[in-house]
Amino acid sequence: MDHYLRSDERLDTMTSLEMVCEQLPKVVDEPHRWKWVVIALHNALQGSMVLALKGSAGLDVMTDKNAKKLLAFLTQDGASSPKLWLDDFGSLFRKIQRPECMARLVGSRHFEPKGTQTDSVKILNEIRNTFIHFFPKTQSTAVHDLLAILQDCIDIIDFLLFKSENVSWFEPSYEPRAAEATRGIRLHLEVVSQRYDESSGEVSGRETPHDFSRGERGKFYHPDVELHLPVYLDPDVAAFIGELADRKGTEIGRIVNDWLRKSIDLVQSAQ
């Protein structure tokens, strides 16, 4: 048993992703868990930016003023050792977009935001700060906005950790664990999004009721239609099948259907 709490930027980023993966499947039944998803996602994104920017001396993860003081301490005799300060979240996000900050290795790539990613990062930071610096009040955020923010931010994290070529993990287990958590988040995100989409049509969830007075009975009824019903997988099953689908380069649905057909054949052969 270790009697010390030990952490570093790699462990913290990896475990933050695992926290998002753990909490996300629970948000439909327990919406308040979105708070922990937001906080852990923010921590994972900040950690990913730090890992991609830090280099050997870590100058680009500091404020400019602090970096100059550290550089003076490292290169000038008699300079005092400065207290180290991490740059703010927004500045880190701007730095990962600058080639001169991300050019660490021959194959290094800087981040180029697409679509709503910049807005998502800004809103994530605002919501997280509201949760962390809590002032007693009632607040609400549309879940579909949270889902979009999560999708954008996990795409950024995926790029920084696995495609920027800037991150060295050192501990052999950290990278596969971070990759597994990222895949799990994507799987849970798809399932959670489907469940919210399905529940959005319930009368209890409508802001204004629909007027059915001019409705036509049977207008959209087709007796021969083929329905494709959604099936929800438990988190451990979804994670396993998702990893298997990645390795085989195929879709999750294809693997599940193949397994079910084999099970059906076994049952029918035993009858």
Side-chain angles (χ1 to χ4, degrees), residues 51-68:
L51 287 173
L53 286 166
K54 67 186 293 291
S56 56
L59 295 176
D60 282 323
V61 304
M62 304 175 190
T63 63
D64 291 341
K65 183 177 180 180
N66 197 221
K68 290 178 181 177

PDB file of all heavy atoms in Angstrom, residues 51-68:
ATOM      1  N   LEU A  51       0.464  18.447 -22.011  1.00  0.00           N
ATOM      2  CA  LEU A  51       1.339  17.376 -22.502  1.00  0.00           C
ATOM      3  C   LEU A  51       1.850  17.676 -23.904  1.00  0.00           C
ATOM      4  O   LEU A  51       2.999  17.376 -24.235  1.00  0.00           O
ATOM      5  CB  LEU A  51       0.587  16.051 -22.494  1.00  0.00           C
ATOM      6  CG  LEU A  51       0.339  15.415 -21.123  1.00  0.00           C
ATOM      7  CD1 LEU A  51      -0.561  14.192 -21.251  1.00  0.00           C
ATOM      8  CD2 LEU A  51       1.650  15.039 -20.454  1.00  0.00           C
ATOM      9  N   ALA A  52       0.996  18.265 -24.743  1.00  0.00           N
ATOM     10  CA  ALA A  52       1.398  18.561 -26.121  1.00  0.00           C
ATOM     11  C   ALA A  52       2.330  19.764 -26.206  1.00  0.00           C
ATOM     12  O   ALA A  52       3.113  19.881 -27.147  1.00  0.00           O
ATOM     13  CB  ALA A  52       0.163  18.805 -26.984  1.00  0.00           C
ATOM     14  N   LEU A  53       2.279  20.651 -25.211  1.00  0.00           N
ATOM     15  CA  LEU A  53       3.044  21.895 -25.271  1.00  0.00           C
ATOM     16  C   LEU A  53       4.329  21.892 -24.453  1.00  0.00           C
ATOM     17  O   LEU A  53       5.235  22.677 -24.708  1.00  0.00           O
ATOM     18  CB  LEU A  53       2.180  23.069 -24.765  1.00  0.00           C
ATOM     19  CG  LEU A  53       1.076  23.582 -25.675  1.00  0.00           C
ATOM     20  CD1 LEU A  53       0.125  24.479 -24.880  1.00  0.00           C
ATOM     21  CD2 LEU A  53       1.641  24.342 -26.863  1.00  0.00           C
ATOM     22  N   LYS A  54       4.415  21.007 -23.452  1.00  0.00           N
ATOM     23  CA  LYS A  54       5.416  21.183 -22.405  1.00  0.00           C
ATOM     24  C   LYS A  54       6.864  21.074 -22.858  1.00  0.00           C
ATOM     25  O   LYS A  54       7.739  21.787 -22.366  1.00  0.00           O
ATOM     26  CB  LYS A  54       5.167  20.211 -21.240  1.00  0.00           C
ATOM     27  CG  LYS A  54       5.381  18.743 -21.578  1.00  0.00           C
ATOM     28  CD  LYS A  54       4.979  17.839 -20.411  1.00  0.00           C
ATOM     29  CE  LYS A  54       5.861  17.996 -19.211  1.00  0.00           C
ATOM     30  NZ  LYS A  54       7.229  17.496 -19.411  1.00  0.00           N
ATOM     31  N   GLY A  55       7.176  20.199 -23.786  1.00  0.00           N
ATOM     32  CA  GLY A  55       8.571  20.032 -24.183  1.00  0.00           C
ATOM     33  C   GLY A  55       9.437  19.639 -23.004  1.00  0.00           C
ATOM     34  O   GLY A  55       8.977  19.044 -22.029  1.00  0.00           O
ATOM     35  N   SER A  56      10.715  19.974 -23.042  1.00  0.00           N
ATOM     36  CA  SER A  56      11.635  19.581 -21.968  1.00  0.00           C
ATOM     37  C   SER A  56      11.644  20.570 -20.811  1.00  0.00           C
ATOM     38  O   SER A  56      11.695  20.187 -19.643  1.00  0.00           O
ATOM     39  CB  SER A  56      13.063  19.427 -22.528  1.00  0.00           C
ATOM     40  OG  SER A  56      13.479  20.632 -23.158  1.00  0.00           O
ATOM     41  N   ALA A  57      11.584  21.866 -21.112  1.00  0.00           N
ATOM     42  CA  ALA A  57      11.634  22.884 -20.047  1.00  0.00           C
ATOM     43  C   ALA A  57      10.253  23.327 -19.597  1.00  0.00           C
ATOM     44  O   ALA A  57      10.105  23.907 -18.524  1.00  0.00           O
ATOM     45  CB  ALA A  57      12.435  24.094 -20.528  1.00  0.00           C
ATOM     46  N   GLY A  58       9.235  23.090 -20.413  1.00  0.00           N
ATOM     47  CA  GLY A  58       7.878  23.475 -20.043  1.00  0.00           C
ATOM     48  C   GLY A  58       7.575  24.946 -20.177  1.00  0.00           C
ATOM     49  O   GLY A  58       6.604  25.453 -19.601  1.00  0.00           O
ATOM     50  N   LEU A  59       8.365  25.684 -20.973  1.00  0.00           N
ATOM     51  CA  LEU A  59       8.187  27.128 -21.065  1.00  0.00           C
ATOM     52  C   LEU A  59       6.843  27.512 -21.673  1.00  0.00           C
ATOM     53  O   LEU A  59       6.229  28.510 -21.280  1.00  0.00           O
ATOM     54  CB  LEU A  59       9.322  27.743 -21.884  1.00  0.00           C
ATOM     55  CG  LEU A  59      10.732  27.634 -21.289  1.00  0.00           C
ATOM     56  CD1 LEU A  59      11.755  28.201 -22.262  1.00  0.00           C
ATOM     57  CD2 LEU A  59      10.805  28.356 -19.945  1.00  0.00           C
ATOM     58  N   ASP A  60       6.370  26.736 -22.654  1.00  0.00           N
ATOM     59  CA  ASP A  60       5.150  27.117 -23.357  1.00  0.00           C
ATOM     60  C   ASP A  60       3.879  26.839 -22.572  1.00  0.00           C
ATOM     61  O   ASP A  60       2.788  27.231 -23.012  1.00  0.00           O
ATOM     62  CB  ASP A  60       5.078  26.415 -24.718  1.00  0.00           C
ATOM     63  CG  ASP A  60       5.969  27.078 -25.757  1.00  0.00           C
ATOM     64  OD1 ASP A  60       6.064  28.320 -25.734  1.00  0.00           O
ATOM     65  OD2 ASP A  60       6.573  26.369 -26.578  1.00  0.00           O
ATOM     66  N   VAL A  61       3.967  26.164 -21.437  1.00  0.00           N
ATOM     67  CA  VAL A  61       2.769  25.968 -20.621  1.00  0.00           C
ATOM     68  C   VAL A  61       2.668  27.037 -19.536  1.00  0.00           C
ATOM     69  O   VAL A  61       1.709  27.058 -18.771  1.00  0.00           O
ATOM     70  CB  VAL A  61       2.738  24.556 -19.983  1.00  0.00           C
ATOM     71  CG1 VAL A  61       2.842  23.486 -21.052  1.00  0.00           C
ATOM     72  CG2 VAL A  61       3.831  24.389 -18.942  1.00  0.00           C
ATOM     73  N   MET A  62       3.656  27.933 -19.470  1.00  0.00           N
ATOM     74  CA  MET A  62       3.657  29.000 -18.467  1.00  0.00           C
ATOM     75  C   MET A  62       3.172  30.310 -19.084  1.00  0.00           C
ATOM     76  O   MET A  62       3.094  30.450 -20.303  1.00  0.00           O
ATOM     77  CB  MET A  62       5.079  29.225 -17.933  1.00  0.00           C
ATOM     78  CG  MET A  62       5.742  28.006 -17.357  1.00  0.00           C
ATOM     79  SD  MET A  62       7.455  28.387 -16.892  1.00  0.00           S
ATOM     80  CE  MET A  62       8.058  26.733 -16.555  1.00  0.00           C
ATOM     81  N   THR A  63       2.871  31.262 -18.217  1.00  0.00           N
ATOM     82  CA  THR A  63       2.628  32.620 -18.706  1.00  0.00           C
ATOM     83  C   THR A  63       3.932  33.151 -19.309  1.00  0.00           C
ATOM     84  O   THR A  63       5.025  32.703 -18.934  1.00  0.00           O
ATOM     85  CB  THR A  63       2.177  33.542 -17.565  1.00  0.00           C
ATOM     86  OG1 THR A  63       3.238  33.636 -16.595  1.00  0.00           O
ATOM     87  CG2 THR A  63       0.933  33.007 -16.881  1.00  0.00           C
ATOM     88  N   ASP A  64       3.830  34.093 -20.227  1.00  0.00           N
ATOM     89  CA  ASP A  64       5.033  34.630 -20.871  1.00  0.00           C
ATOM     90  C   ASP A  64       5.987  35.240 -19.842  1.00  0.00           C
ATOM     91  O   ASP A  64       7.206  35.052 -19.915  1.00  0.00           O
ATOM     92  CB  ASP A  64       4.639  35.686 -21.914  1.00  0.00           C
ATOM     93  CG  ASP A  64       3.926  35.074 -23.111  1.00  0.00           C
ATOM     94  OD1 ASP A  64       4.054  33.845 -23.308  1.00  0.00           O
ATOM     95  OD2 ASP A  64       3.236  35.817 -23.840  1.00  0.00           O
ATOM     96  N   LYS A  65       5.435  35.958 -18.882  1.00  0.00           N
ATOM     97  CA  LYS A  65       6.263  36.594 -17.856  1.00  0.00           C
ATOM     98  C   LYS A  65       6.992  35.553 -17.026  1.00  0.00           C
ATOM     99  O   LYS A  65       8.200  35.686 -16.743  1.00  0.00           O
ATOM    100  CB  LYS A  65       5.382  37.469 -16.959  1.00  0.00           C
ATOM    101  CG  LYS A  65       6.140  38.235 -15.889  1.00  0.00           C
ATOM    102  CD  LYS A  65       5.188  39.122 -15.092  1.00  0.00           C
ATOM    103  CE  LYS A  65       5.938  39.893 -14.015  1.00  0.00           C
ATOM    104  NZ  LYS A  65       5.003  40.762 -13.224  1.00  0.00           N
ATOM    105  N   ASN A  66       6.273  34.490 -16.645  1.00  0.00           N
ATOM    106  CA  ASN A  66       6.877  33.440 -15.842  1.00  0.00           C
ATOM    107  C   ASN A  66       7.935  32.673 -16.624  1.00  0.00           C
ATOM    108  O   ASN A  66       8.985  32.302 -16.092  1.00  0.00           O
ATOM    109  CB  ASN A  66       5.776  32.484 -15.366  1.00  0.00           C
ATOM    110  CG  ASN A  66       6.203  31.604 -14.226  1.00  0.00           C
ATOM    111  OD1 ASN A  66       5.883  30.425 -14.199  1.00  0.00           O
ATOM    112  ND2 ASN A  66       6.912  32.151 -13.247  1.00  0.00           N
ATOM    113  N   ALA A  67       7.680  32.441 -17.920  1.00  0.00           N
ATOM    114  CA  ALA A  67       8.636  31.724 -18.763  1.00  0.00           C
ATOM    115  C   ALA A  67       9.939  32.507 -18.893  1.00  0.00           C
ATOM    116  O   ALA A  67      11.037  31.924 -18.871  1.00  0.00           O
ATOM    117  CB  ALA A  67       8.024  31.473 -20.137  1.00  0.00           C
ATOM    118  N   LYS A  68       9.838  33.835 -19.015  1.00  0.00           N
ATOM    119  CA  LYS A  68      11.047  34.664 -19.114  1.00  0.00           C
ATOM    120  C   LYS A  68      11.869  34.585 -17.824  1.00  0.00           C
ATOM    121  O   LYS A  68      13.099  34.525 -17.859  1.00  0.00           O
ATOM    122  CB  LYS A  68      10.659  36.107 -19.405  1.00  0.00           C
ATOM    123  CG  LYS A  68      10.106  36.313 -20.813  1.00  0.00           C
ATOM    124  CD  LYS A  68       9.679  37.759 -21.029  1.00  0.00           C
ATOM    125  CE  LYS A  68       9.095  37.939 -22.428  1.00  0.00           C
ATOM    126  NZ  LYS A  68       8.606  39.334 -22.621  1.00  0.00           N
TER     127      LYS A  68
END
